[in-house]
């Protein structure tokens, strides 16, 4: 019987300690030292939040680099409903979807050749919010974006390079190109040398 | 050491009886004690029912296959029963020999009035006193309370040389069924009929009284647990298969279950235990419980009496060392005189040495001319007063006192001689003739031949040997050195043993000891393995949990090895049995799903011909391996004293590695045969 | 590619060893109540907790009392967490105004989080208020892990002590595990996570106007503080639905390394605590080595399978090899920043331990790549395992290995000087038996009933894998998933909830009972004839027993799921 009281009291005390005191203290610390990150690494343009540096978003215009296919939410890149496709490797649905995406990639990107489509560009990410594509996937889109924006391939390639994250300490992770940041940079480059439409 | 002869492994007679016996053992009421084989029996019955159903319903396509599966499943049970029956049969053959000794005997019962009357031996009860005379068979186990007799114990020990049994002392126990060949003794009966040594021995070797030992119980739990787990696997495989629209038939599922269940060890487990007991009996050791045999395998420390175990029974005179200018012959002469009446083995050895070295003959003196002073613990010397001479031999300090009292000089070198002898493990006896110290007799313990090698073997087995002796530490140390014993306790009293055992046990060690005397009884009872000499007292025999019929103190080594062998055989076959399953899976799983998932044929690494032959081959292998391993189960895995780690590695490779590989080869071979014979 | 993966695993393992050894020794001090450098800070807190709750710290408990205390604490936690979820709409920190969690889902989630499983039948950002996340889930991340550590310490004591009936005081062990072990590590880790980009705020979800002009709602929350304990306590319940694949939970390769390290750290350290407490450090290293063998093999195999990719892809013009500009491999369900190397490392770690966090979607793994995580769990969650539960599971397996093969040296088997007899074998077999029963029986029910089959997302053998995986992770208290399976149904919520509870307590109780029985025994001295439970031979033996037992039990089931799917995939068959 005494055990029951102890169990209940200890549950409540430890829950308050680890479930309220600890997270609130960490909340305070986080916002004190790293306020930008604590708020979600949000990116603004002209005073408006356009997204988060860490969260991918839908791009379908040929003027923008496209991110990976997304299974988050009905339309993809729903940052309030993260998730992958969960399609298995022998599922016809997966194979058909990937085949279609591959065809679309070849159709949209002049110069893209069969056999060279980077796998990340036709497969859905785990989070559905992957902010990055592989450098190969960016390179494949350079010509298309340059053409659409009337920029030189060199200019676009340079922007890609600037928004490419190398491996951490040369060892960890895979290199990636942040699509949102790259597209923001493209838009900025576009303002410097105005193009039609924007 | 006389060994009971072990029956040949495959005696036709025993095998023939075992075949009949294995059918009788199909009775589920007895088989239920062996859960693994019971499951096999039940599933065999189920398969048979399905077979009958299919015959009645005329599904001819399946019958041939189902019939073969059912048959081999029944064979699996029968083979296991056969193994057990073989082990029991071998025991029974031994028991039959023993039983001959238990023919009807008459006993001369002495009643309260002292009258002797002849009664049937079976009517004797505890505490009855009987008279046994030359030519009589001792009617029951008991203790000699009066008289001395030579007894032929060949009936129990197989040793035909007679032994002396006398009242008091350490040679007072007699065994029913043995024969008095000279003189007479009065014996107090210590066992009721049916509880005698011989009865117990017969029951043990026949396996009638076999109770499962602790380790056997634990192992049975493991095997039962595994069997239940595999039942779970097989039962759930049916719905799993339904998911992929495969409907599995009962015989196929049963085949999988029986192949996965640890039938090899399950079928041989009791045979291993019975055979272990048999091996002990073949070494003329009688274990009063199977638990004791297992404990023998675990022993860490072995307590050994010095005398009779490590050294030959008695110290012998090996040298006369005179002091100053005394002539050696004079010393020898005085020593012999002082020992003439000394009937102890030491005393006799002095006489013998004097005769051999200096050609001095023993002399006879009448009571009048010579007064013999016997040894007493108080004076610690003995000797003779002869024609005014006082010749003494004894412990150095006492003799020095004796000489000093007579104003004699103490030669300077005496001390160093005494000390040197003691340091070498000998016993110095100083001889004095009145006020003259003549010299020293070197009495020496003779270490048994080959004992050093035996201790090395024990050490390699991981056992620590401790020698117990009443000698002083110096002597004890020397003998310990010479014999190669690990440790010793000097100046020990009977209580020392008990204390030592308790200390060792408190340190978490299992202790074995050998004893014969009455004062050994508490220690024998306290020890984890107490081996009593058959020649010892009844008290000792009751206190120990094993009796060595040969009364050979070094027998402990065999006992420990048999204990270890018993456990090893179980472990080896368990490992082998479980390792076997790997191959069986590879045979059966692809076969089960060949229709729905032809892709799984990639797992058919043995390239077995057809699904049916694959399943059948696995089942047949599973049954035959039991028969193939019967000899190993009965003979036991060879024990090698090479230390635990190398032994483990070795057995893991042989029985674990072999257990994985052998069935791949075996199943493939059977499959080829089946294909050739068009069985499936 | 190969070089890089070797470099990465080498770096990872070096850091793991460098951190886990001192942590293990530190824990040995903490639980034998020796002085530590944190006493000045935590001592007063500890004392006031005991005063408030009426804990007498010197009171020793028998195994049954210890188990009873753990059960009562679990029950109280379960009830509290259930109530918090049901009442979240009444409490503050709910900017999205999320309603009460459905009763069955709340039952399932409470069972899952109080048992260190953290299976999630819900999506975090669409279901749980910030209050539920913190007070309900973050706290249980701590407390269920602390419970596991406490029980493992009690089990170790069972082997270390002799001729006594007691195993320690659960309340004290629990409190010290939370305060001295988990809390300091989390406090150290959280700021690093925030620095790398893990958010920690209580704001409403951000409404962003995207570059292409649509609106994107970005979920927020107090993520970083929960992220730290999520991996350290091998809990694995994601703040967001996508778990550690979500860029907010695991934004960079560095956070990924830290998360994988956190997953293995305490479980690895406990092997050294074990070695330290039983007075022979090699005993700890031996378990560590056996675990490492499995871990590295699993990682290598999974990486190989995932890097090989999907054989259907090349024909579609897709490049999935590692070439300039991309890591390649099977990228469905994986993040670019992790690629196959960091994804499979995470997958191996999370399923070897009972963590269950994922940084890539296991359901989309290649068949063999997916088999590895499932088989890791089927081995009984003893390869590092859950914090605490892994160690005591491994000790139980060691007892079994010693018993099977120990006989082969010709002695009654003994582990750490304790003879293994019928009573212990009964409990060991109970432990060994319950686990497959909890997986196979419900999976059998699910694979033939409409309620079970309706949750399946992928047809063919993969669908069966989803079912088998769900119950495997539940019994193993892992919490990862072949997430395609729609498990938020009454059938799965209830069945999985019960399996989770049974998988926790029906395993912990026999383990404690074994410890209790061991504690009562006399210690046996070791000699040259004693079965050596350290060294290479024993590592191999222990590994073989774990592998063979696990494989024999689950091979049949796995053959019908991932294995047959693998052969189907290589022969080009689709479902």
């Amino acid at each position: 019987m005494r055990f029951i009281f102890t169990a209940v009291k200890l549950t409540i005390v430890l829950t308050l300690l680890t479930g309220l005191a600890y997270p609130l203290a960490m909340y305070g610390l986080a916002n004190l030292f790293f306020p930008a990150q604590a708020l979600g690494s949000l990116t603004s343009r002209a005073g408006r939040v356009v997204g988060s540096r860490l969260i991918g978003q839908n791009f379908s215009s040929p003027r923008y680099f496209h991110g990976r296919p997304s299974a988050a939410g009905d339309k993809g890149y729903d940052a309030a409903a993260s998730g992958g496709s969960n399609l298995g490797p022998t599922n016809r649905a997966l194979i058909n979807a990937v085949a279609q995406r591959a065809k679309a990639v070849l159709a949209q990107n002049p110069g893209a050749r069969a056999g060279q489509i980077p796998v990340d560009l036709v497969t859905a990410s785990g989070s559905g919010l992957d902010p990055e594509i592989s450098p190969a996937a960016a390179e494949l889109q350079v010509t298309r974006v340059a053409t659409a924006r009337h920029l030189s391939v060199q200019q676009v390639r340079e922007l890609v390079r600037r928004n490419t994250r190398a491996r951490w300490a040369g060892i960890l992770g895979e290199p990636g190109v942040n699509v949102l940041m790259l597209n923001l940079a493209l838009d900025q480059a576009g303002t410097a040398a105005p193009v039609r439409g924007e | 050491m006389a060994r009971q002869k072990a029956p040949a492994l495959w005696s036709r007679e025993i095998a023939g009886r075992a075949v009949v016996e294995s059918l009788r053992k199909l009775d589920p009421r007895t088989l239920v004690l062996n859960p693994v084989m019971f499951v096999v029996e039940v599933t065999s019955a189920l398969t048979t029912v399905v077979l009958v159903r299919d015959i009645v319903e005329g599904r001819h396509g399946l019958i041939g296959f189902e019939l073969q599966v059912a048959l081999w499943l029944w064979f699996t049970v029968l083979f296991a029963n056969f193994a057990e029956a073989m082990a029991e049969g071998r025991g029974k053959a031994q028991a039959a020999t023993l039983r001959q000794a238990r023919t009807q005997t008459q006993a001369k019962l002495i009643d309260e009035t002292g009258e002797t009357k002849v009664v049937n031996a079976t009517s004797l009860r505890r505490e009855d006193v009987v008279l046994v005379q030359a030519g009589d068979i001792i009617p029951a186990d008991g203790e000699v309370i009066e008289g001395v007799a030579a007894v032929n114990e060949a009936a129990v020990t197989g040793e035909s040389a007679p032994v002396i049994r006398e009242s008091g002392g350490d040679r007072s126990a007699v065994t029913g069924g043995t024969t008095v060949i000279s003189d007479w003794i009065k014996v107090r009966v210590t066992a009721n009929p049916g509880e005698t040594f011989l009865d117990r021995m017969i029951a043990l070797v026949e396996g009638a009284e076999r109770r499962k030992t602790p380790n056997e119980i634990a192992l049975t739990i493991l095997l039962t647990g595994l069997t239940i787990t595999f039942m779970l696997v097989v039962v759930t495989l049916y719905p799993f298969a339904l998911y992929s629209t495969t409907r599995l038939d009962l015989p196929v599922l049963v085949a999988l279950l029986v192949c996965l269940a640890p039938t090899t060890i399950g079928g041989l487990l009791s045979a291993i235990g019975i055979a272990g007991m048999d091996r002990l009996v073949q070494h003329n050791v009688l274990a009063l419980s199977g638990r004791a045999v297992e404990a023998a395998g675990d022993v860490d420390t072995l307590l050994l009496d010095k005398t009779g175990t490590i050294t030959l029974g008695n110290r012998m005179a090996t040298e006369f060392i005179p002091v100053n200018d005394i002539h050696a012959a004079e010393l020898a002469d005085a020593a012999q005189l002082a020992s003439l009446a000394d009937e102890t083995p030491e005393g006799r050895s002095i006489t013998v040495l004097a005769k051999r070295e200096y050609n001095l003959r023993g002399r006879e003196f009448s009571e009048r001319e010579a007064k013999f002073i016997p040894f007493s613990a108080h004076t610690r010397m003995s000797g003779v007063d002869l024609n005014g001479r006082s010749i003494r031999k004894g412990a150095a300090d006492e003799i020095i006192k004796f000489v000093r009292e007579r104003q004699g000089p103490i030669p300077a070198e005496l001390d160093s001689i005494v000390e040197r002898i003691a340091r070498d493990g000998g016993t110095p006896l100083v001889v004095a003739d009145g006020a003259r110290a003549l010299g020293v007799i070197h009495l020496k313990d003779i270490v048994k031949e080959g004992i050093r090698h035996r201790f090395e073997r024990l050490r390699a087995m991981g056992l620590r040997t401790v020698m117990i002796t009443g000698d002083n530490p110096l002597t004890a140390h020397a003998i310990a050195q010479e014999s190669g014993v690990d440790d010793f306790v000097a100046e020990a009293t009977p209580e020392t043993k008990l204390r030592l055992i308790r200390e060792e046990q408190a340190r978490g060690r299992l202790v074995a000891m050998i004893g014969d005397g009455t004062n050994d009884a508490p220690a024998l009872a306290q020890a984890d393995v107490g081996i009593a000499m058959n020649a010892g007292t009844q008290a000792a025999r009751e206190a120990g949990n094993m009796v060595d019929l040969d009364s050979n103190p070094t027998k402990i080594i065999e006992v420990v090895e048999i204990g270890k062998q018993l456990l090893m055989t179980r472990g080896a076959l368990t490992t082998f049995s479980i390792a076997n399953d790997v191959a069986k899976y590879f045979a059966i799983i692809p076969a089960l799903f060949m229709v729905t998932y032809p892709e799984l044929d990639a797992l058919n690494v043995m390239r077995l011909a057809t699904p049916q032959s694959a399943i059948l081959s696995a089942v047949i292998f599973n049954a035959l391996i039991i028969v193939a391993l019967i000899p190993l189960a009965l003979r036991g895995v060879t024990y090698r004293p090479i230390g635990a780690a190398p032994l483990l590695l070795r057995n893991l490779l042989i029985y674990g590695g072999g257990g994985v590989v052998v069935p791949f080869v075996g199943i493939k071979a059977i499959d080829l045969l089946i294909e050739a014979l068009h069985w499936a | 590619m190969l070089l890089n993966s070797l470099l990465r695993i080498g770096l990872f393992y070096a850091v793991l060893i460098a951190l886990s050894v001192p942590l293990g020794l530190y824990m040995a001090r903490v639980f034998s109540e020796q002085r530590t450098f944190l006493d000045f800070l935590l001592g007063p807190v500890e004392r006031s907790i005991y005063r408030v709750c009426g804990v007498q710290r010197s009171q020793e408990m028998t195994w049954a009392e210890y188990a009873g205390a753990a059960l009562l604490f679990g029950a109280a936690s379960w009830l509290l967490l259930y109530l918090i979820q049901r009442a979240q709409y009444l409490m503050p920190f709910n900017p999205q105004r999320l309603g009460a969690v459905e009763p069955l889902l709340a039952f399932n989630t409470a069972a899952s989080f109080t048992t260190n499983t953290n299976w999630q039948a819900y999506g975090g950002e669409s279901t749980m208020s910030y209050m539920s996340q913190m007070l309900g889930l973050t706290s249980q991340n701590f407390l269920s892990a602390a419970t596991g550590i406490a029980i493992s310490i009690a089990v170790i004591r069972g082997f270390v002590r002799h001729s006594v009936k007691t195993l320690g005081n659960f309340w004290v062990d629990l409190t010290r595990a939370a305060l001295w072990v988990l809390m300091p590590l989390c406090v150290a880790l959280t700021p690093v996570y925030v620095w790398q980009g893990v958010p920690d705020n209580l704001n409403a979800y951000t409404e962003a106007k995207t570059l292409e002009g649509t609106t994107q709602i970005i979920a927020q929350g107090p993520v970083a503080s929960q992220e730290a304990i999520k991996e350290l306590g091998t809990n694995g319940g994601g703040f967001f639905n996508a778990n550690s694949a979500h860029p907010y939970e695991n934004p960079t390769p560095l956070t990924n390394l830290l998360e994988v390290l956190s997953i293995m750290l305490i479980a690895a350290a406990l092997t050294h605590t074990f070695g330290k407490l039983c007075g022979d450090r090699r005993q700890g290293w031996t378990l560590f080595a056996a675990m490492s063998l499995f871990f590295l093999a699993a990682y290598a195999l999974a990486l190989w399978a995932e890097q090989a990719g999907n054989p259907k892809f090349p024909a579609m013009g897709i490049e999935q090899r590692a070439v300039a500009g991309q890591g390649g491999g099977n990228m469905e369900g994986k993040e670019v920043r992790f690629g196959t190397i960091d994804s499979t490392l995470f997958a191996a770690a999370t399923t070897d331990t009972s963590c269950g966090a994922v940084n890539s979607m296991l359901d989309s793994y290649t068949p063999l790549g997916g088999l590895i995580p499932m088989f890791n769990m089927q081995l009984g969650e003893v390869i590092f395992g859950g914090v605490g539960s892994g160690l005591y599971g491994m000790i139980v397996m060691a007892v079994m290995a010693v018993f099977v093969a120990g006989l082969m040296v010709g002695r009654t088997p003994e582990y750490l000087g304790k003879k293994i007899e019928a009573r212990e074998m009964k409990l060991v077999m109970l432990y060994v038996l319950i686990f497959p029963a909890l997986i196979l029986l419900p999976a059998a029910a699910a694979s033939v009933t409409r309620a079970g089959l309706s949750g399946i997302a992928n047809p063919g053998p993969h669908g069966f894998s989803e079912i088998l995986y769900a119950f495997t992770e539940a019994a193993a208290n892992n919490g990862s998933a072949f997430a395609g399976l729609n498990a938020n149904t009454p059938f799965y919520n209830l069945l999985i909830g019960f399996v989770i509870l049974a998988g926790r307590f029906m395993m912990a109780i026999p383990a404690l009972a074994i410890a209790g029985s061991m504690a009562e025994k006399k210690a046996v001295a070791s000699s040259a004839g004693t079965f050596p439970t350290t060294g290479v031979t024993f590592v191999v033996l222990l590994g073989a027993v774990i592998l063979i037992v696990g494989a024999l039990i689950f091979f049949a089931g796995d053959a019908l799921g991932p294995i047959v799917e693998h052969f189907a995939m290589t022969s080009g068959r689709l479902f």
Side-chain angles (χ1 to χ4, degrees), chain C residues 85 100 112 114 128-129 148 154 261 264 319 333 338 342 346 352 378 419 460 479 538 560:
Chain C
Q85 292 178 76
S112 157
T114 52
M128 296 290 170
S129 76
L261 269 174
M264 308 247 296
E319 174 63 88
F338 305 137
D342 285 355
F346 202 110
D352 267 332
Q378 288 168 344
K419 284 211 181 302
F538 186 68
L560 292 178

Side-chain angles (χ1 to χ4, degrees), chain B residues 321-324 412-424 428 438-442:
Chain B
I321 308 161
V323 289
N324 294 348
E413 55 191 316
L414 190 67
D415 258 2
S416 64
I417 296 171
V418 166
E419 202 176 299
R420 178 174 56 79
I421 292 173
R423 208 174 38 238
D424 292 349
L438 300 178
V440 187
I441 310 170
H442 186 170

Side-chain angles (χ1 to χ4, degrees), chain B residues 638-654:
Chain B
T638 318
Y639 178 76
R640 272 160 222 273
I642 50 176
L647 191 64
L648 173 67
L649 190 62
R650 190 190 145 84
N651 285 334
L652 264 183
L653 285 177
I654 297 177

Side-chain angles (χ1 to χ4, degrees), chain B residues 215 219 222 229 232-233 239-240 243 297-298 300 462 507-508 564 567-568 571-572 581 585 593 597 599 602 644 648 651, chain C residues 407-412 419 425 429 433 437 444 460 463-464 523-525 527-528 530-531 552-553 555 560 564 567 573:
Chain B
N215 174 260
L219 188 54
L222 173 86
T229 312
L232 210 61
V233 170
F240 287 178
Y243 173 90
D298 291 349
D300 301 289
R507 262 181 241 138
K564 287 191 179 294
L567 295 172
M568 273 170 52
D581 284 0
Y585 251 133
F593 299 100
Y597 295 131
E599 296 94 345
L648 173 67
N651 285 334
Chain C
L407 285 172
M408 285 198 298
V409 301
R411 273 172 78 100
T412 307
K419 284 211 181 302
M425 271 329 278
M429 287 322 290
L433 186 60
F464 177 70
V524 177
S527 73
T530 309
F531 182 87
L552 288 182
I553 295 173
F555 182 77
L560 292 178
V564 72
F567 291 120
R573 190 166 162 195

Side-chain angles (χ1 to χ4, degrees), chain C residues 81-103 106 126-133 135:
Chain C
L81 178 50
Y82 181 81
L83 292 176
I84 291 171
Q85 292 178 76
R86 297 288 293 142
Q88 69 172 5
Y89 66 100
L90 298 172
M91 293 191 283
F93 301 131
N94 185 9
Q96 297 308 117
R97 305 191 178 285
L98 294 165
V101 179
E102 292 300 312
S126 54
T127 316
M128 296 290 170
S129 76
Y130 294 161
M131 188 54 129
S132 296
Q133 291 276 18
L135 194 63

Side-chain angles (χ1 to χ4, degrees), chain C residues 14-35:
Chain C
V15 179
L16 179 68
I17 291 173
L19 293 178
S20 64
V21 173
L23 178 63
L25 301 182
Y26 165 77
M27 282 196 281
R29 293 187 71 82
V30 169
F31 292 106
S32 38
E33 308 226 356
Q34 288 168 305
R35 287 166 50 110

Side-chain angles (χ1 to χ4, degrees), chain C residues 226-251:
Chain C
Q226 196 186 80
E227 196 65 32
I229 187 64
K230 174 184 122 189
E231 278 88 15
L232 261 177
T234 63
N235 295 285
F239 197 97
F240 301 109
N241 186 46
N243 211 306
S244 281
H246 197 294
Y248 269 174
E249 285 203 33
N250 191 1

